[in-house]
Amino acid sequence: LENCFSSVHQIHYESTPIHNHLNLSINLAEFSDSIASKLCLAKVVNGKLYYSGGKYENEALKGRIYSFGDYTVSIDQTKPTIKGLNIFPGKTMTSSTLKMTIKDDFSGIKTYEGKIDGQWIIMEYDPKNNRLTHFFEKDLPKGKHTFELKVTDKVDNVNYYQAIFYN
């Protein structure tokens, strides 16, 4: 399989239910710190990889699994994607909301942080639709503003978005 750093390990049978987590450790050769932090456990289902967490320590990848099946070690070096739905550089905002889509194709979104003019703002995340929404405060002064967004995935790949907008 592509992006795998170990062979596939069969842990019992996928159809057998378990009622608690299991600790899984897969021994690996030593990796450099830059790549080791991006390694993770991945469940293999019909030849496709699904993120299952885990951390690299002491030449092994260790994590908890919640179902039996086939597991391997994979890597996630791809930053999350960010796309403005109703905001872009130079936009004059007439809407009362700011809408973005954020997405990570493998490990998933861990954190996001939005700021307007350097001040933290509340953003609502809808993971089903990969949507971030901010409702503008009524006291936001008229004029030029800078919106910044930082999105981090579960293996700490980071992407940034910035747009100057007017209201």
Side-chain angles (χ1 to χ4, degrees), residues 61-72:
L61 192 71
K62 300 174 182 181
R64 291 182 173 184
I65 59 172
Y66 296 88
S67 62
F68 291 126
D70 297 336
Y71 289 87
T72 188

Side-chain angles (χ1 to χ4, degrees), residues 88-104:
F88 52 84
K91 168 105 188 238
T92 299
M93 298 296 291
T94 56
S95 173
S96 62
T97 60
L98 184 150
K99 296 179 183 177
M100 314 281 299
T101 58
I102 61 173
K103 189 175 182 181
D104 188 79

Side-chain angles (χ1 to χ4, degrees), residues 81-145:
T81 58
I82 303 172
K83 181 180 177 190
L85 292 178
N86 70 341
I87 186 169
F88 52 84
K91 168 105 188 238
T92 299
M93 298 296 291
T94 56
S95 173
S96 62
T97 60
L98 184 150
K99 296 179 183 177
M100 314 281 299
T101 58
I102 61 173
K103 189 175 182 181
D104 188 79
D105 288 336
F106 190 59
S107 63
I109 303 295
K110 180 169 117 181
T111 63
Y112 54 89
E113 180 182 19
K115 293 180 180 182
I116 293 180
D117 299 332
Q119 298 293 317
W120 178 82
I121 58 172
I122 295 173
M123 299 195 82
E124 295 179 8
Y125 180 47
D126 174 7
K128 181 178 178 185
N129 296 307
N130 303 312
R131 176 87 38 95
L132 266 180
T133 305
H134 169 69
F135 297 91
F136 285 111
E137 303 290 328
K138 293 181 180 170
D139 61 352
L140 184 68
K142 297 284 184 195
K144 179 179 173 181
H145 300 282

Side-chain angles (χ1 to χ4, degrees):
L1 294 171
E2 194 174 326
N3 291 330
C4 291
F5 291 86
S6 76
S7 51
V8 175
H9 302 273
Q10 182 180 357
I11 313 298
H12 200 55
Y13 299 104
E14 188 172 13
S15 60
T16 304
I18 59 175
H19 302 289
N20 207 343
H21 70 271
L22 300 172
N23 293 323
L24 176 61
S25 179
I26 298 176
N27 291 331
L28 299 169
E30 188 174 329
F31 285 90
S32 69
D33 289 341
S34 62
I35 193 173
S37 66
K38 306 301 180 193
L39 295 176
C40 59
L41 292 172
K43 187 169 186 179
V44 182
V45 179
N46 296 327
K48 187 169 179 180
L49 300 176
Y50 294 91
Y51 176 80
S52 295
K55 293 281 183 199
Y56 180 81
E57 55 187 50
N58 300 326
E59 296 188 16
L61 192 71
K62 300 174 182 181
R64 291 182 173 184
I65 59 172
Y66 296 88
S67 62
F68 291 126
D70 297 336
Y71 289 87
T72 188
V73 174
S74 187
I75 190 167
D76 181 1
Q77 292 181 301
T78 306
K79 298 187 273 186
T81 58
I82 303 172
K83 181 180 177 190
L85 292 178
N86 70 341
I87 186 169
F88 52 84
K91 168 105 188 238
T92 299
M93 298 296 291
T94 56
S95 173
S96 62
T97 60
L98 184 150
K99 296 179 183 177
M100 314 281 299
T101 58
I102 61 173
K103 189 175 182 181
D104 188 79
D105 288 336
F106 190 59
S107 63
I109 303 295
K110 180 169 117 181
T111 63
Y112 54 89
E113 180 182 19
K115 293 180 180 182
I116 293 180
D117 299 332
Q119 298 293 317
W120 178 82
I121 58 172
I122 295 173
M123 299 195 82
E124 295 179 8
Y125 180 47
D126 174 7
K128 181 178 178 185
N129 296 307
N130 303 312
R131 176 87 38 95
L132 266 180
T133 305
H134 169 69
F135 297 91
F136 285 111
E137 303 290 328
K138 293 181 180 170
D139 61 352
L140 184 68
K142 297 284 184 195
K144 179 179 173 181
H145 300 282
T146 302
F147 169 70
E148 301 167 296
L149 180 64
K150 175 184 174 184
V151 180
T152 307
D153 71 9
K154 291 180 182 174
V155 294
D156 296 329
N157 294 312
V158 179
N159 199 0
Y160 298 92
Y161 180 89
Q162 182 175 338
I164 294 174
F165 69 94
Y166 302 88
N167 69 336

